[in-house]
Amino acid sequence: MAPFWLLKKLPGYMPPEGRWRHLAEPYDGDEVVVLDCETSCFDKKKGELLSVAAVRVKGGEIRLSEALDLTINSNAVTDPNAVRVHYLRREDRQQGVAVSEAIEKVLDFIGNRPICGFYIEYDRAILNRYIKQLHNFQLPNRFIEVSEIYVRQKRKYIPELQLDLTFEGLAKDLKVPIIERHTAMGDVISTALMYIKLTHFNQRS
């Protein structure tokens, strides 16, 4: 994933403006936002946003009381394989919020904090597609991939070590519970616990 300083140099880069100008400011706090999206199919260029969840992590604390958990009011035709994963049928989405409202809530929740996730490049692509359509910019935040931290730590001393890089594989090795797998909030909580295990606890030892 290209860092923001490099993105700013690419042709066609559009910085956040107006209400969202602060997203491009350097972040000097100590929180990370862990985020996950569920979509109508598994194609990041076509998948429509069905739900999104996010929590802020500060040190070893997941701030669940402030969590964001949104279902989108969407009539998107959903790939049957995706439904079998996240169980979000059309009737389940009727009481959700408009996608434009969801995107604004996500941007307000994230601010200019780093964004963390498992296969976060997919979530980044989905959100950026909507943000560009609605507000003509893309997320300038720093992105953190949990599996990349895991690989760096595991292969630090044994480079050829074979690793199970599935969500379930990381959870098992890190002894993290899998909570309501393939719900946005469940995956966010499990991913946040992975991140804490890989960062906060190591810093204390």
Side-chain angles (χ1 to χ4, degrees), residues 4-34:
F4 179 54
W5 65 265
L6 179 59
L7 293 177
K8 290 193 294 184
K9 298 180 180 295
L10 296 177
Y13 166 71
M14 298 294 291
E17 296 182 347
R19 175 179 172 183
W20 312 114
R21 185 183 302 272
H22 66 286
L23 270 65
E25 296 174 359
Y27 181 66
D28 59 2
D30 57 357
E31 292 184 341
V32 169
V33 173
V34 180

